[in-house]
């Protein structure tokens, strides 16, 4: 169906060069690469969320998470990785800016003081994450968070999971992206030994 649509469209819009190349191979007549984006102006104008600043103050390593708390982001995996991180470094903290049906999976990390669940990621919360976190954790689907991590100047730590969105191509492994093996222990270890 996708190939049928591409061949019949006057123009195809793609998020990445790889998507554009796929459209050309499928028989597109014209292709425009638009490079999907999101508003990152909050990094210049928002006041940082004081809850996040207080939570990160005096912590050891501090990490962030920005995005939905649902199955596509693999929140169960993140919860298990936080258990592993807790076993290795009880001073490490994680600020979680997001909401969704899988939020209860992170309540144990919150109860032990390891995680701060802020709810929906407001500009103020994300600004504070950009100021306090050394890396952003995302074991599930990488989407627009790729743009935010680039704007923040923070690397993204993820897994070699086959279902990332096209925006993963905006990141470069070894500089803005660290892939770990696809298990919670390796993910936690990657966060703690982050070479980026």
């Amino acid at each position: 169906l996708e190939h049928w649509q591409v061949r019949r469209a006057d123009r195809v819009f793609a998020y990445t060069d790889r998507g554009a190349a796929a459209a050309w191979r499928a028989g597109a007549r014209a292709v425009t690469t638009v490079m999907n984006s999101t508003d990152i102006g909050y990094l210049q104008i928002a006041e940082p969320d004081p809850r996040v600043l207080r939570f990160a103050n005096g912590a050891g390593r501090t990490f962030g998470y920005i995005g939905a708390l649902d199955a596509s982001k693999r929140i169960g995996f993140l919860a298990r990785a936080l258990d592993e991180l807790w076993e290795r470094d009880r001073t490490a903290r994680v600020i979680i800016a997001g909401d969704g049906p899988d939020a209860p999976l992170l309540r144990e990390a919150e109860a032990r003081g390891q995680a701060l669940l802020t709810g929906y990621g407001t500009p103020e919360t994300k600004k504070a994450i950009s100021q306090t976190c050394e890396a952003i954790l995302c074991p599930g689907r990488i989407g627009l968070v790729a743009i935010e991590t680039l704007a923040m100047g923070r690397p993204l730590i993820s897994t070699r999971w086959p279902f990332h969105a096209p925006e993963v191509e905006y990141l470069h492994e070894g500089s803005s992206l660290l892939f770990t093996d696809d298990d919670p222990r390796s993910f936690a270890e990657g966060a703690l030994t982050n070479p980026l």
Side-chain angles (χ1 to χ4, degrees):
L1 180 60
E2 183 179 285
H3 284 224
W4 180 87
Q5 287 178 313
V6 165
R7 286 191 303 273
R8 283 159 183 76
D10 292 329
R11 178 168 298 277
V12 173
F13 292 94
Y15 283 167
T16 65
D17 291 337
R18 192 171 107 192
W24 285 117
R25 284 192 305 274
R29 290 183 276 204
V31 179
T32 299
T33 306
V34 295
M35 304 302 281
N36 196 19
S37 189
T38 188
D39 183 4
I40 53 167
Y42 65 84
L43 290 171
Q44 282 75 43
I45 62 173
E47 289 296 321
D49 183 336
R51 293 176 305 158
V52 173
L53 298 178
R54 281 192 304 272
F55 182 76
N57 185 35
R61 314 280 295 277
T62 306
F63 303 97
Y65 171 90
I66 300 170
L69 302 182
D70 63 26
S72 74
K73 298 295 187 173
R74 302 177 76 196
I75 301 305
F77 181 107
L78 180 61
R80 291 188 303 278
L82 293 183
D83 291 342
E84 293 287 341
L85 188 61
W86 182 250
E87 290 302 315
R88 288 169 172 69
D89 183 352
R90 295 193 177 201
T91 67
R93 299 291 178 262
V94 182
I95 300 153
I96 299 170
D99 202 2
D102 288 352
L105 299 175
L106 299 168
R107 295 294 181 213
E108 187 174 324
E110 182 181 44
R112 65 183 171 231
Q114 179 188 27
L116 173 66
L117 278 71
T118 69
Y120 176 77
T122 66
E124 295 77 15
T125 302
K126 292 191 266 186
K127 173 71 174 260
I129 286 172
S130 77
Q131 293 179 341
T132 60
C133 295
E134 67 181 73
I136 305 299
L137 307 178
C138 185
R141 184 176 170 86
I142 297 172
L144 290 172
V145 70
I147 293 160
E148 293 188 282
T149 61
L150 287 170
M152 290 177 179
R154 300 292 181 265
L156 185 76
I157 300 174
S158 192
T159 63
R160 294 191 188 281
W161 191 57
F163 303 108
H164 294 303
E167 292 86 357
V168 71
E169 294 178 43
Y170 303 160
L171 302 173
H172 298 283
E173 190 171 1
S175 60
S176 56
L177 174 63
L178 173 67
F179 275 132
T180 71
D181 290 338
D182 193 20
D183 67 84
R185 180 172 292 171
S186 295
F187 189 76
E189 188 68 28
L192 289 175
T193 61
N194 174 17
L196 304 180

